[in-house]
């Protein structure tokens, strides 16, 4: 796939993302205003830019941890099996957890990750995704906070890759094969 040539058309500008993150941070601050034990958990690698911008807008005492699961290989097909490649460093039992994901697509990743987190008995668990492609959903999952709903397009940028490339684009763009 990745050896085919493609262009990237901008879908969501860096400015729009920044504005939306400010709004999301307000929602998150309201949700977690009563706690000083919030751990923000980023799903590697796709959420690394999003979580970096998001936590800097959240005016609460927080900790940051990361979880890496396998989902897509180097192509565009979702594998339904999700494996834990890198687990959390800290304990989350009786803590409040906010899971930060780049995109919810079929929903398998988020479903598996939330089950994994819930087994460790956090006091409260919420989820946030920058993007959601609801038309692609295969399993029912809840996303408590969402940046943008998008159509069924393969997107890159702002941390999100196609065959490991394009994570460094400051905006979200859609891949168009030429
Ligand atoms: P799901 O398990 O099908 O919901 O897939 C979620 C994961 O697939 C996300 O964390 C992304 O890493 C990846 N993914 C889904 N859609 C896209 C896309 O359009 N571009 C790049 N990666 C994607
Ligand atoms: Mg991902």
């Amino acid at each position: 796939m990745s050896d085919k040539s493609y262009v990237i058309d901008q879908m969501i500008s860096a400015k729009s993302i920044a504005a939306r993150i400010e709004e999301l941070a307000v929602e998150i601050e309201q949700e977690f205003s009563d706690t000083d034990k919030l751990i923000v958990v980023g799903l590697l690698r796709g959420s690394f830019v999003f979580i970096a911008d998001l936590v800097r807008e959240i005016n609460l005492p927080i900790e940051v941890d990361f979880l890496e699961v396998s989902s897509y290989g180097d192509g565009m097909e979702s594998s339904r099996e999700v494996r834990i490649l890198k687990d959390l460093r800290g304990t989350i039992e009786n803590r409040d957890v906010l899971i930060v994901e780049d995109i919810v697509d079929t929903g398998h990743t988020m479903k598996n990750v939330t089950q994994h987190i819930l087994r460790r008995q956090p006091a409260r668990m919420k989820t946030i995704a920058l993007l959601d492609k609801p038309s692609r959903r295969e399993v029912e999952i809840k996303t408590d906070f969402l940046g943008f709903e998008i159509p069924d397009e393969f997107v890159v940028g702002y941390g999100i890759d196609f065959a490991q490339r394009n994570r460094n684009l400051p905006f979200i763009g859609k891949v168009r094969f030429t």
Side-chain angles (χ1 to χ4, degrees), residues 39-43 64-68 84-93 97-99 113 116-118 120 122:
I39 307 185
V40 182
V41 173
L43 298 191
V64 175
D65 204 343
F66 293 96
L67 186 66
E68 183 172 12
I84 305 292
L85 300 180
K86 183 215 163 288
D87 211 339
L88 296 174
R89 186 62 81 84
T91 167
I92 56 168
E93 193 178 337
V97 178
L98 176 67
I99 302 173
V113 167
H116 178 75
I117 295 287
L118 286 173
R120 284 150 184 213

Side-chain angles (χ1 to χ4, degrees), residues 118-177:
L118 286 173
R119 275 195 289 273
R120 284 150 184 213
Q121 303 183 304
R124 171 172 27 172
M125 181 193 72
K126 297 285 173 186
T127 57
I128 180 169
L130 178 65
L131 305 173
D132 187 7
K133 294 194 245 183
S135 63
R136 300 255 309 158
R137 197 73 85 254
E138 292 177 9
V139 289
E140 215 178 291
I141 55 108
K142 56 161 193 131
T143 305
D144 299 295
F145 307 101
L146 174 67
F148 303 91
E149 215 174 87
I150 61 167
D152 182 11
E153 302 277 1
F154 198 81
V155 295
V156 293
Y158 200 73
I160 300 166
D161 73 302
F162 174 32
Q164 299 308 324
R165 299 293 178 91
N166 304 303
R167 292 191 196 272
N168 54 325
L169 291 175
F171 57 87
I172 297 288
K174 61 181 174 188
V175 171
R176 179 163 52 87
F177 291 99

Side-chain angles (χ1 to χ4, degrees), residues 51-112:
I51 192 174
D53 283 346
L54 183 66
V55 293
R56 283 179 287 178
E57 295 294 332
I58 299 175
N59 193 15
L60 292 173
I62 63 159
E63 292 178 23
V64 175
D65 204 343
F66 293 96
L67 186 66
E68 183 172 12
V69 298
S70 64
S71 48
Y72 287 57
D74 273 352
M76 295 164 105
E77 280 294 296
S78 175
S79 59
R80 302 324 183 228
E81 292 297 310
V82 174
R83 282 184 306 128
I84 305 292
L85 300 180
K86 183 215 163 288
D87 211 339
L88 296 174
R89 186 62 81 84
T91 167
I92 56 168
E93 193 178 337
N94 282 320
R95 307 284 303 267
D96 293 314
V97 178
L98 176 67
I99 302 173
V100 182
E101 172 63 312
D102 53 358
I103 310 183
V104 181
D105 187 33
T106 64
H108 288 280
T109 305
M110 198 61 120
K111 185 158 190 231
N112 277 267

Side-chain angles (χ1 to χ4, degrees), residues 1-7 162 175-178:
M1 278 292 204
S2 52
D3 51 353
K4 280 194 200 161
S5 58
Y6 60 91
V7 295
F162 174 32
V175 171
R176 179 163 52 87
F177 291 99
T178 52

